[in-house]
Amino acid sequence: MRDFLWKLIIIATAVVLPIYYFIDENPFDTASFLSLKEKEMVAWQRARMQINPGRTNHMKTFKDMQKNSEPLENVNSHILLGASPTVKKLLTIGISSVQRPQGSYLLDTLQSLFFASSLSEQKYFTVLVHLADPDPNWLDQMISNISTLFQPYIQARQLVVINTPLKSYLPLKNLKKNFNDTPTHVTFRSKQNMDYAFLMNFATNYSDYFLMIEDDVKCAPGFVSQIATILSAWERKAWVTLEFSRLGFIGKLFHARDLPRFVRFLLLFYQEMPCDYLLSHFRDLLMQKKPIQFFPSLFQHMGNYSSFEGQLNSLTDKEFEGNNIGPPGNPAATIHTSLNVTNASVLMNAYSLDKSFFYIKEAKAGSHLTVVLDIPATVFRVQVLTGSELKEENQVKEGQVELGYDSTNRINDCDDYILLGLLVNGILDKQVLSEESGKKVKCVRLLVTAALPSGLIVRHINLWIK
């Protein structure tokens, strides 16, 4: 019996070892040993490699490159103004800027950025500016201007300005000529790729997320809160970049943990193509097949001249919503509530566009007031005002506003709600960012999360629709 078992083991070994050797030496010839689902995956991989073998080669090069940090070994970016934050923030906002023949927009961009953010919002981000022009006179002038105009933000460690000397850059001569670009333009965009790479490399440990904007943009009011709301909604979803502008490299949001990979990607292919093209390829390599864009845009291009030789560049983002959006246009709707409404209270006053208001003597935690639109609409701004207009009384101290999207044609409610934002001092006034333009809202719900025993006043629930 023992001899029989030994013979069986020897025979099994003789059969199995060649199979393992065959699999190891022929990784794409294992279909006969796979399940149907695994066979389909192998076939898909084969087809993908045959259709686009260059992509597979780039992926291998990219993986090899991640193991090698040589391009960054000699980088000597250093701080010109400010100091690194002492605690890790939610967001780093990155800007790279060079000298423009027609004058700089950077100071206007910084002013817009800080003015569009409340004091509470400013606690959650750091602005990192890379002055990437080697001209010492321009650097001195920009340092002086920024120091004079933004000293409080510098002292609060909310604004940091850095520079990277030219000796840290990869070669800028004899570059590849792609897209029929002139040699001058190839040099410009190749250096710009490295400008962005060094900026992101410096920002790696500053925050959980990194937002890239350019040095000639206008910011929508409250953009930080709106981005934070989107991040909360997408916390458990897979993404490489979220986009808050349709233009160029403006408003592109990254996980900070992905920055080292993208930095090396920019440096590996710095002379191949512009940064926004490279971002598209990087996203594809990490299996995000299409841009994830939110509308309306939070950033608008405001410069008339490009940083490349002062060429005219008056591109604007048509999806940007500024302050001049006109009065609200509340569409026909009904209001439903779990509040104990008396005959003396007129519920629709909360939704009217005149100066009337809705009042109730008591509101329990968990109670809601829900506007249900007769016809779902594309809502791009929501304003909820609670409490007395003259005194800070009867406000929703702790509450939130949620949006509902209909899926089963319920009459008095919606199936699913997403958080739009929290009320601050009884007020919410926010743009509605949609991943896909045209997504229609059916319900707007005000949810009271802490009891109001002394009463509640809802002055207005206002909607702006397209």
Side-chain angles (χ1 to χ4, degrees):
M1 182 67 179
R2 182 175 299 177
D3 292 340
F4 174 78
L5 288 175
W6 275 111
K7 288 179 181 179
L8 187 61
I9 292 170
I10 291 170
I11 292 170
T13 303
V15 172
V16 172
L17 278 179
I19 291 174
Y20 277 117
Y21 176 81
F22 179 79
I23 293 172
D24 185 62
E25 294 299 313
N26 301 274
F28 288 104
D29 291 326
T30 60
S32 59
F33 309 103
L34 302 178
S35 67
L36 178 60
K37 186 174 182 180
E38 290 168 330
K39 287 178 182 178
E40 292 173 349
M41 180 60 71
V42 169
W44 176 83
Q45 289 173 330
R46 278 177 170 170
R48 191 168 179 84
M49 291 175 69
Q50 290 168 359
I51 292 169
N52 190 2
R55 182 187 183 280
T56 306
N57 293 336
H58 280 322
M59 188 62 173
K60 183 180 184 304
T61 305
F62 179 43
K63 286 182 176 179
D64 292 341
M65 175 268 297
Q66 290 184 66
K67 301 173 185 177
N68 177 21
S69 60
E70 185 178 347
L72 295 170
E73 286 180 356
N74 298 319
V75 174
N76 187 29
S77 302
H78 56 276
I79 293 177
L80 300 176
L81 286 174
S84 298
T86 55
V87 296
K88 199 171 188 179
K89 301 293 186 72
L90 173 71
L91 188 65
T92 299
I93 302 172
I95 305 172
S96 182
S97 186
V98 295
Q99 188 171 185
R100 296 171 185 254
Q102 303 295 332
S104 174
Y105 300 101
L106 175 60
L107 300 178
D108 292 333
T109 297
L110 290 174
Q111 192 169 51
S112 173
L113 194 157
F114 285 115
F115 284 10
S117 310
S118 67
L119 291 176
S120 59
E121 287 174 324
Q122 289 170 16
K123 296 176 183 178
Y124 293 97
F125 68 82
T126 299
V127 180
L128 182 64
V129 178
H130 185 201
L131 297 181
D133 197 292
D135 182 351
N137 293 327
W138 180 81
L139 284 173
D140 289 343
Q141 185 61 56
M142 292 306 299
I143 291 169
S144 175
N145 291 341
I146 294 172
S147 180
T148 301
L149 294 173
F150 302 99
Q151 191 61 35
Y153 304 105
I154 295 170
Q155 292 176 342
R157 294 177 181 248
Q158 294 175 321
L159 175 60
V160 180
V161 181
I162 66 170
N163 171 256
T164 307
L166 272 181
K167 63 182 181 181
S168 298
Y169 284 71
L170 296 169
L172 288 169
K173 294 182 179 179
N174 301 317
L175 301 173
K176 293 181 181 179
K177 184 181 178 182
N178 297 330
F179 309 107
N180 294 318
D181 283 343
T182 64
T184 305
H185 192 238
V186 172
T187 301
F188 169 80
R189 61 173 170 77
S190 297
K191 180 183 177 296
Q192 186 179 61
N193 285 335
M194 289 188 280
D195 295 341
Y196 292 154
F198 298 147
L199 168 69
M200 293 179 175
N201 183 60
F202 202 91
T204 299
N205 297 316
Y206 272 24
S207 58
D208 294 321
Y209 301 94
F210 178 87
L211 175 71
M212 186 74 206
I213 65 175
E214 294 183 3
D215 65 347
D216 56 353
V217 301
K218 177 183 178 182
C219 307
F223 72 93
V224 175
S225 293
Q226 302 200 55
I227 290 174
T229 301
I230 293 296
L231 285 172
S232 177
W234 279 73
E235 185 177 8
R236 297 183 180 179
K237 298 181 181 181
W239 56 271
V240 180
T241 60
L242 302 180
E243 303 190 9
F244 297 94
S245 171
R246 303 179 74 174
L247 299 179
F249 217 49
I250 299 172
K252 304 304 185 276
L253 186 76
F254 300 79
H255 292 280
R257 64 174 182 262
D258 286 336
L259 291 183
R261 286 191 287 186
F262 188 51
V263 166
R264 287 171 171 78
F265 189 77
L266 286 174
L267 295 177
L268 180 65
F269 300 110
Y270 77 101
Q271 58 180 303
E272 300 288 344
M273 60 189 70
C275 53
D276 48 339
Y277 289 18
L278 287 174
L279 176 60
S280 178
H281 286 289
F282 178 76
R283 198 176 56 226
D284 183 55
L285 286 170
L286 297 186
M287 307 308 290
Q288 181 185 313
K289 297 307 174 189
K290 64 177 183 177
I292 302 172
Q293 296 179 329
F294 294 89
F295 304 105
S297 299
L298 296 181
F299 306 96
Q300 177 65 285
H301 181 260
M302 65 180 180
N304 291 321
Y305 292 93
S306 168
S307 51
F308 174 62
E309 296 185 341
Q311 290 185 353
L312 188 64
N313 179 15
S314 55
L315 285 175
T316 56
D317 191 336
K318 295 180 181 179
E319 295 291 341
F320 179 78
E321 295 290 352
N323 287 321
N324 300 321
I325 58 176
N330 292 1
T334 55
I335 299 185
H336 303 272
T337 185
S338 59
L339 295 166
N340 186 20
V341 180
T342 64
N343 292 333
S345 301
V346 180
L347 196 56
M348 283 302 294
N349 284 350
Y351 190 63
S352 66
L353 294 174
D354 56 28
K355 292 188 176 182
S356 58
F357 59 87
F358 167 72
Y359 171 74
I360 193 166
K361 292 182 178 180
E362 181 184 10
K364 297 180 180 179
S367 56
H368 72 88
L369 191 154
T370 303
V371 176
V372 182
L373 304 185
D374 290 356
I375 301 174
T378 303
V379 178
F380 66 88
R381 181 181 175 186
V382 175
Q383 183 185 68
V384 177
L385 307 177
T386 70
S388 170
E389 197 167 4
L390 301 177
K391 301 178 181 180
E392 293 185 1
E393 297 176 351
N394 307 117
Q395 296 175 341
V396 177
K397 296 290 186 181
E398 297 182 40
Q400 61 194 49
V401 176
E402 302 168 336
L403 300 181
Y405 299 92
D406 184 39
S407 60
T408 59
N409 297 316
R410 295 173 66 179
I411 297 175
N412 298 330
D413 201 359
C414 288
D415 287 328
D416 191 28
Y417 286 88
I418 64 169
L419 176 67
L420 175 62
L422 305 179
L423 278 81
V424 178
N425 296 324
I427 294 173
L428 176 137
D429 191 348
K430 297 193 70 171
Q431 289 177 292
V432 179
L433 298 182
S434 172
E435 178 192 353
E436 297 179 6
S437 184
K439 193 172 184 181
K440 297 185 184 299
V441 171
K442 182 182 178 182
C443 304
V444 179
R445 179 164 70 184
L446 168 61
L447 184 65
V448 179
T449 55
L452 297 169
S454 60
L456 165 66
I457 292 175
V458 181
R459 299 202 313 271
H460 294 292
I461 299 176
N462 292 329
L463 309 181
W464 283 258
I465 62 172
K466 289 186 178 181

